[in-house]
Amino acid sequence: MTSEREPLRLMTVHAHPDDESSKGAATTARYVDEGHEVMVVTCTGGEAGSILNPAMDRPDVLENMTTIRKQEMARAADILGVQHRWLGFVDSGLPEGDPKPPLPEGCFALVPLEESTERLVQVIREFRPHVLVTYDENGGYPHPDHIRTHEVSMAAFEAAADPDRFRAAGAPWQVLKLYYSHGFSKKRILAFDEGLKARGLESPYAEWIANWKDRPDPGERVTTRVECADWFDRRDDALRAHATQIDPTSRWFFTPLELQREIWPWEEYELVRSLVAGPTPEDDLFAGLREPALRAG
């Protein structure tokens, strides 16, 4: 059993460097500032990422993408105050074309699930998180590495607690709660669009809304909203640290922070598995775990 003063532990599992800053970063910064331990696990090095910031589109950057993306990740982790671990797999890239080309041999999405699961289980057993956050079954969007991150996370959640699985990966550990992170719901986009227009500002969301059509809305699956508006600036600073991937003039930063804090002051999650009783909706990923007797250890 943990002592009353021992911090709770949160682990978030992501596909590439920069995902941790675009998905739930304000939540992680909040929990760090509250004295809890947060670890970000990045499954791949982002080696196949394109340069998405015109200011960084230079030959010297392209030639050193692997090293640069590691440096960017280190800066972002420092800004958020989180611990960080690389899982060590190779970026699969996002295949394009009709038909799509095959994924490169040895990439993360093609590594046998048992192998990648064991590696994540080892990190879980070392860090011993009470809560794990990952992507939904669609990966948030259908990138092969995001979908694989979901599969590995789900498998590791089960295997980490099983003493008969991966015995060389450390002593078993039972994660108590599992969440999917959810970002841009249709309701959130509509709220930002209306908020900008009401203030006489141009909205970048019209095309996004028009193209939504019959797509499922992840907002309908949300069970948990973590209020973290005071950490939005940290989130954005961490995102900008990934300079190869984030154009500081892009729509990521178009909606003023004061408007975001007023209209949508939280980040959203879906509680998928829980070994502790508690009602939903929630306002805390650690809901039900604040009392020491309810924690594993």
Side-chain angles (χ1 to χ4, degrees):
M1 183 184 300
T2 56
S3 70
E4 188 171 359
R5 294 184 180 180
E6 183 178 346
L8 288 157
R9 294 181 296 276
L10 168 67
M11 176 181 286
T12 67
V13 185
H14 295 281
H16 311 107
D18 78 70
D19 289 328
E20 85 297 326
S21 296
S22 62
K23 301 168 185 65
T27 300
T28 57
R30 170 189 161 174
Y31 285 134
V32 167
D33 284 1
E34 289 181 352
H36 302 295
E37 296 183 22
V38 179
M39 175 176 284
V40 169
V41 176
T42 309
C43 294
T44 80
E47 299 89 349
S50 303
I51 296 177
L52 303 178
N53 179 1
M56 296 291 287
D57 193 3
R58 309 189 309 264
D60 61 307
V61 173
L62 189 59
E63 291 169 2
N64 296 284
M65 277 289 283
T66 300
T67 299
I68 290 172
R69 294 206 72 180
K70 286 183 177 180
Q71 294 169 345
E72 291 174 345
M73 182 65 239
R75 285 194 292 271
D78 185 61
I79 290 167
L80 296 174
V82 300
Q83 302 175 50
H84 179 254
R85 287 285 294 273
W86 297 101
L87 214 56
F89 294 103
V90 176
D91 190 342
S92 305
L94 182 60
E96 296 179 329
D98 188 15
K100 294 180 179 179
L103 293 174
E105 185 177 350
C107 71
F108 176 51
L110 296 183
V111 169
L113 184 60
E114 192 81 351
E115 178 182 339
S116 46
T117 298
E118 181 174 12
R119 207 173 293 186
L120 181 56
V121 164
Q122 182 172 353
V123 180
I124 289 173
R125 289 176 176 174
E126 289 175 2
F127 182 65
R128 304 195 307 164
H130 301 97
V131 175
L132 185 91
V133 178
T134 188
Y135 309 147
D136 68 13
E137 65 279 0
N138 299 309
Y141 80 107
H143 188 296
D145 285 338
H146 283 245
I147 293 171
R148 197 56 159 178
T149 296
H150 162 80
E151 295 168 346
V152 171
S153 299
M154 300 302 289
F157 177 86
E158 299 292 343
D162 187 343
D164 295 324
R165 298 285 306 280
F166 308 120
R167 294 184 179 183
W173 176 257
Q174 177 67 69
V175 182
L176 295 178
K177 300 180 79 176
L178 172 70
Y179 289 90
Y180 296 154
S181 61
H182 288 302
F184 279 93
S185 66
K186 186 174 183 180
K187 186 175 181 180
R188 181 186 181 195
I189 295 168
L190 288 169
F192 284 174
D193 181 70
E194 293 168 2
L196 288 165
K197 290 176 179 176
R199 290 159 177 77
L201 301 172
E202 182 182 356
S203 171
Y205 300 110
E207 183 179 356
W208 199 341
I209 293 169
N211 291 334
W212 194 284
K213 297 180 181 178
D214 296 325
R215 284 171 45 201
D217 183 0
E220 296 177 358
R221 299 169 54 167
V222 166
T223 63
T224 310
R225 283 178 160 178
V226 178
E227 190 162 333
C228 48
D230 290 344
W231 290 269
F232 284 174
D233 54 345
R234 289 256 294 281
R235 172 203 65 191
D236 288 359
D237 286 345
L239 197 54
R240 281 187 285 263
H242 294 282
T244 60
Q245 305 301 299
I246 302 298
D247 181 350
T249 66
S250 68
R251 68 181 177 188
W252 282 107
F253 309 106
F254 197 89
T255 306
L257 284 181
E258 60 270 20
L259 187 149
Q260 293 184 47
R261 290 179 174 126
E262 176 186 340
I263 293 178
W264 209 269
W266 44 70
E267 291 176 333
E268 296 183 311
Y269 302 86
E270 176 186 354
L271 179 62
V272 183
R273 294 286 305 279
S274 180
L275 278 72
V276 296
T280 55
E282 303 173 318
D283 61 3
D284 181 10
L285 298 182
F286 294 133
L289 300 176
R290 299 286 183 174
E291 293 298 324
L294 297 176
R295 309 175 196 175

